[in-house]
Amino acid sequence: MEHRQRLAPSPTRSMMLVDLVRFQVAWWSLVLLGQSGLVIGVILLLIQFRLSQRRVADGIVMAAIAMPGVLMDAMASYFGLFEFAGLPVWLALLWCHFGLSCQYSLRPVLGLNAWWVLVIGALGGSASYWAGVQLGAVSSSLSGPELVMYLMPLWAGVFIYAKTIIETQAMMPAETH
């Protein structure tokens, strides 16, 4: 008798909707409130993990995407793309929210053909940062078009990396409780 492992299940539509709302509330709270929004951001993550039926996989994917994202922002700051007032812990928390959303509400996007993922990542990620600049969450000495042109290839890479993480994770055995 052949032993088969059960693959990690796709998220339910209700969890995808919860995640979509969670990410939007987190993004707006953290971008508009900065460090003052940390409590809201942490509570939202805790709620998502409480509702999740695959906490371990969610944590692994979140960390696998958030850690390089924080490094990317640190390097972008070092090279002058962004200027932050102090250590933006809120931005690291926002990367955790983004990483978790790759498991849920962004999963259909990451399941598309790689070219579409590149385009959506380049446009969506750079637009998100441009919006952050417009809202005063971060500043840049570059003009809007210059900043977006620098960010587009970075965010195309982020989305392809996230696609790879999600596809790899989907092949792993499902969690047992």
Side-chain angles (χ1 to χ4, degrees), residues 76-83 139-142 147 150-151 154:
S77 179
Y78 177 80
F79 288 110
L81 287 179
F82 307 123
E83 298 162 14
S139 59
S140 177
S141 60
L142 301 175
L147 180 62
Y150 277 108
L151 289 173
L154 293 175

Side-chain angles (χ1 to χ4, degrees), residues 130 142-150:
W130 179 81
L142 301 175
S143 70
E146 289 174 318
L147 180 62
V148 168
M149 292 308 289
Y150 277 108

Side-chain angles (χ1 to χ4, degrees), residues 102-124:
C102 290
Q103 274 284 69
Y104 293 96
S105 59
L106 286 174
R107 196 174 190 133
V109 171
L110 297 174
L112 296 173
N113 174 289
W115 288 109
W116 281 112
V117 173
L118 282 168
V119 169
I120 293 168
L123 296 174

